[in-house]
């Protein structure tokens, strides 16, 4: 998902978004499939901790990533959000 992060960074830069916000969005975009992999692989808590720490470096958190994952899945018709 690194390619998506590069695209997001470029678009947001062109729109004049501040650097700190750009890096938060990039972290979410680059990691938005990671929770799926962690669930699929029945990852240990340490895997989730690593993800939380990685997101935290950019100022983001697992809650924001969960919202993005739900929005992504609902947009593909994989889950209904009521």
């Amino acid at each position: 998902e690194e390619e998506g992060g590069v695209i997001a960074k470029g678009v947001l830069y062109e729109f004049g978004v501040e650097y700190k916000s750009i890096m938060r969005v990039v972290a979410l975009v680059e990691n938005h499939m990671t929770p799926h992999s962690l669930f699929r692989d029945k990852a240990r808590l340490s895997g989730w901790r690593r993800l939380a720490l990685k997101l935290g470096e950019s100022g983001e958190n697992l809650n924001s990533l969960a919202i993005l994952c739900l929005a992504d899945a609902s947009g593909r018709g994989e889950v209904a959000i009521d």
Side-chain angles (χ1 to χ4, degrees):
E1 298 299 325
E2 195 171 309
E3 183 178 326
V6 171
I7 293 168
K9 188 175 186 178
V11 169
L12 294 171
Y13 177 80
E14 288 297 318
F15 282 128
V17 176
E18 67 176 291
Y19 183 76
K20 184 177 177 180
S21 296
I22 291 173
M23 297 316 294
R24 292 177 73 172
V25 171
V26 168
L28 292 172
V29 169
E30 289 181 346
N31 291 288
H32 84 281
M33 293 301 293
T34 305
H36 173 74
S37 299
L38 291 173
F39 275 116
R40 182 193 63 219
D41 299 340
K42 297 182 173 108
R44 295 175 173 218
L45 185 57
S46 59
W48 290 97
R49 282 191 189 120
R50 277 192 301 277
L51 176 58
L53 290 172
K54 188 175 183 180
L55 290 171
E57 291 172 359
S58 70
E60 272 307 332
N61 57 54
L62 289 174
N63 289 332
S64 297
L65 186 59
I67 292 167
L68 176 61
C69 291
L70 282 172
D72 185 44
S74 68
R76 292 190 313 261
E78 294 177 6
V79 67
I81 299 177
D82 295 329

